[in-house]
């Protein structure tokens, strides 16, 4: 099982072994069945390492050129695997699933233990024995740490673009809703009227925080592990800034033990993804409710709904239901990752290999969600009459009524009590506050005068919340303009925050 000078060993580490591996164990411990997706990252990191070892004198300029060209050709294998390395391209190809592509790729390289081994084997086919020099001064431990950083960084960029796209869709919907109103809920009981645009802007605020969480994670993880070796640092005198620069990292990582075993960057990404998932699930839940006959606030776009094989009348909200479900999956992946890292002694441990699939799943789940949510959002049509009716019935102007009295000098606590009595009267008579006769209102407080009715109509009820961040019509217009400007700025910067 030992190496020859021309061919890489069947294994990358077989020299000290006398017995072959148990067949089942051998297959079971391989990561190539899932880490094949890291081919672009592995090739980029290998090219950067080749530059660094060439600068250290391990490769001649001609050898470097041959090596880089060979790596380029190995990287092109991914083109045959197509855009199906989909999470980082942002385009999901649902016709060919990752699982199908993976099976074909893995069958084409039955010896490859992992993506690092695969590239070494393929590079040998391209450039012969020169390929065996590539591993000089490096370890798979720093390679996988680098590949995963590159993968997560790209996934963050794809997610950021998707979030900007979805935010823009929410903003155009808000724009289209103009000054249309809906009931706002607390405890899922009607509370006060709000502009539909105000409700939609609440989601834009959540997404802006998500964007900044991803940007924070990106900035924090953007350091290059190459040159860290297996644990103690590279055994070759390397200029570590070469690889860092080639791969667009801010700088080399400062500690080799940390760099080879740190997976915080994966946790940061997973946690930002689960928080985004929670936001998506709240949006999905609200729309699922609003699409019920009981609410009747939204007509689900047919292009994004499904029917029932049993009940001919059904139009089901599968998109929002699945979106709600996917957030559980994101949260599960983040929890799995944290549990894998918890209690691991320094430095590299093979347990870490288990974290990769969680990250791939998160990247795929996010890419899928963000590929449907923007168009779904743009296709939403609200039943404005039903929403306005719900906003104008059920005493949602009671707080505006109490504010009316307190503006007249009645202490708020007292005003609250008086309006509570007025609501009680209305409930007994089946009348809204603005339909109660003035004379009856005046039995509750002499401060009620004719101007009360204008003070509690829908527009005044909205406009008494005339503070930045409130639902007064003019405030929502300002907030919408401001959010549009912020999102446009992010889109212009290509999504890069900070
Ligand atoms: N496939 C491995 C992983 O994902 C690569 C690193 C292997 N390192 C090692 N010392 N066995 O973690």
């Amino acid at each position: 099982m030992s190496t020859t000078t021309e061919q890489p060993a069947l294994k990358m580490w077989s020299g000290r072994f006398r017995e072959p591996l148990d067949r089942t164990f051998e297959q079971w411990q391989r990561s190539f069945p899932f880490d094949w997706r890291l081919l672009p990252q592995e090739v980029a990191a290998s090219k950067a390492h080749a530059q660094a070892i060439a600068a250290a004198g391990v490769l001649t300029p001609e050898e470097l050129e041959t090596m880089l060209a060979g790596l380029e050709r190995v990287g092109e294998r991914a083109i045959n695997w197509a855009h199906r390395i989909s999470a980082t391209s942002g385009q999901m190809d649902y016709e060919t699933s990752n699982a199908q592509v993976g099976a074909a790729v893995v069958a084409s390289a039955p010896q490859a233990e992992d993506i690092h081994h695969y590239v070494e084997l393929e590079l040998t086919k391209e450039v012969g024995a020169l390929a065996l020099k590539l591993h000089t001064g490096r370890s798979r431990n720093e390679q996988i740490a680098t590949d995963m950083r590159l993968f997560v960084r790209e996934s963050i960029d794809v997610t950021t673009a998707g979030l900007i796209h979805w935010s823009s869709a929410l903003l155009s919907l808000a724009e289209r809703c103009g000054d249309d109103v809906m009931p706002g809920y607390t405890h899922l009981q009607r509370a006060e009227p709000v502009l539909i645009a105000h409700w939609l802007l609440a989601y834009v605020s959540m997404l802006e925080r998500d964007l900044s969480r991803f940007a924070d994670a990106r900035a924090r993880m953007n350091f290059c592990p190459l040159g860290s070796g297996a644990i103690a640092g590279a055994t070759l005198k390397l200029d570590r800034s070469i690889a860092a620069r080639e791969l667009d990292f801010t700088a080399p990582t400062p500690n080799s033990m940390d760099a080879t075993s740190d997976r915080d960057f994966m946790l940061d990404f997973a946690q930002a993804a689960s928080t985004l998932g929670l936001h998506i699930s709240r949006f999905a839940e609200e729309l699922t409710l609003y699409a019920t006959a009981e609410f009747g606030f939204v007509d689900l776009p047919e292009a994004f709904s499904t029917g029932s094989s049993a009940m001919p009348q059904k139009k089901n909200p599968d998109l929002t239901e699945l979106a709600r479900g996917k957030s559980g999956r994101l949260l599960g992946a983040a929890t799995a990752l944290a549990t894998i890292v918890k209690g691991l002694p320094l430095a590299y441990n093979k347990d870490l290999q288990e974290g990769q699939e969680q990250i791939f799943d998160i990247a795929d789940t996010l890419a899928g969600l963000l590929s449907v949510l923007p168009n779904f959002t743009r296709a939403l049509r609200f039943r404005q009459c039903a929403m306005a009716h719900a906003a104008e019935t059920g005493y949602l102007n009671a707080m505006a009524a109490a504010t009316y009295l307190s503006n007249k000098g009645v202490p708020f606590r007292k005003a609250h009590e008086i309006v509570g009595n007025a609501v009680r009267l209305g409930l007994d008579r089946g009348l809204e506050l603005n339909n109660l006769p003035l004379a009856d209102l005046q039995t509750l407080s002499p401060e009620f005068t004719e101007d009360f009715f204008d003070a509690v109509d829908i527009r005044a009820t909205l406009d008494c919340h005339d503070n930045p961040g409130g639902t007064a019509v003019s405030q929502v217009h300002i907030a919408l303009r401001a959010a549009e400007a912020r999102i446009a700025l992010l889109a212009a910067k290509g999504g890069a925050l900070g």
Side-chain angles (χ1 to χ4, degrees), residues 8-10 12 30-33 35-40 42-43 46 71 73-81 104-126 131 134 138 140 143:
L10 238 48
M12 291 168 285
R30 290 171 81 202
S31 52
F32 193 56
D35 72 11
W36 60 270
R37 294 178 56 160
L38 295 172
L39 179 65
E42 175 69 11
V43 165
S46 294
L71 283 166
R73 288 194 297 279
V74 173
E76 280 162 10
R77 312 268 198 279
I79 298 168
N80 299 331
W81 306 350
V105 170
V106 172
S108 76
Q111 290 175 9
E113 178 177 321
D114 55 25
I115 187 62
H116 321 297
H117 192 204
Y118 174 81
V119 169
E120 213 168 277
L121 293 171
E122 295 298 304
L123 186 63
T124 309
K125 290 185 196 157
E126 295 290 342
L134 179 59
R138 75 171 182 178
R140 284 186 294 160
Q143 282 171 261

Side-chain angles (χ1 to χ4, degrees), residues 48-56 238-247 252:
H49 179 67
Q51 306 265 18
I53 59 173
L238 286 177
D239 177 354
R240 294 189 61 206
S241 70
I242 295 175
R245 200 169 46 244
E246 286 294 317
L247 296 170

Side-chain angles (χ1 to χ4, degrees), residues 275-396:
T275 305
L276 165 60
L278 299 182
H279 295 153
I280 291 173
S281 78
R282 298 182 78 176
F283 179 74
E285 169 65 6
E286 290 207 279
L287 281 156
T288 307
L289 274 177
Y290 291 169
T292 57
E294 284 68 18
F295 273 88
F297 285 180
V298 64
D299 210 1
L300 282 179
E302 287 194 12
F304 294 98
S305 308
T306 58
S308 154
S309 62
M311 297 165 280
Q313 85 285 7
K314 290 296 287 292
K315 181 167 71 163
N316 289 330
D318 288 29
L319 186 146
T320 53
E321 292 171 286
L322 273 176
R324 199 173 51 189
K326 301 263 182 208
S327 78
R329 188 172 172 144
L330 293 170
L331 202 57
T335 308
L337 263 179
T339 316
I340 289 165
V341 175
K342 181 188 174 299
L344 273 191
L346 261 53
Y348 177 83
N349 297 272
K350 188 88 168 209
D351 315 40
L352 293 172
Q353 181 171 291
E354 285 298 298
Q356 293 177 29
E357 285 165 288
Q358 305 301 332
I359 290 294
F360 298 150
D361 194 56
I362 292 171
D364 291 344
T365 303
L366 288 182
L369 280 164
L370 293 170
S371 72
V372 293
L373 282 167
N375 288 343
F376 170 75
T377 300
R378 283 179 201 278
L380 283 174
R381 296 288 175 271
F382 294 116
R383 296 214 181 98
Q384 174 43 37
C385 286
M387 290 176 114
H389 179 73
E392 289 177 56
T393 49
Y395 310 97
L396 276 71

Side-chain angles (χ1 to χ4, degrees), residues 145-176:
T146 306
D147 292 357
M148 289 307 289
R149 281 176 197 244
L150 292 173
F151 184 91
V152 169
R153 194 174 72 180
E154 286 175 46
S155 297
I156 287 178
D157 292 346
V158 170
T159 306
T160 298
L163 280 174
I164 290 174
H165 195 192
W166 187 27
S167 303
S168 307
L170 286 163
L171 291 171
S172 5
L173 182 59
E175 195 72 66
R176 212 171 63 217

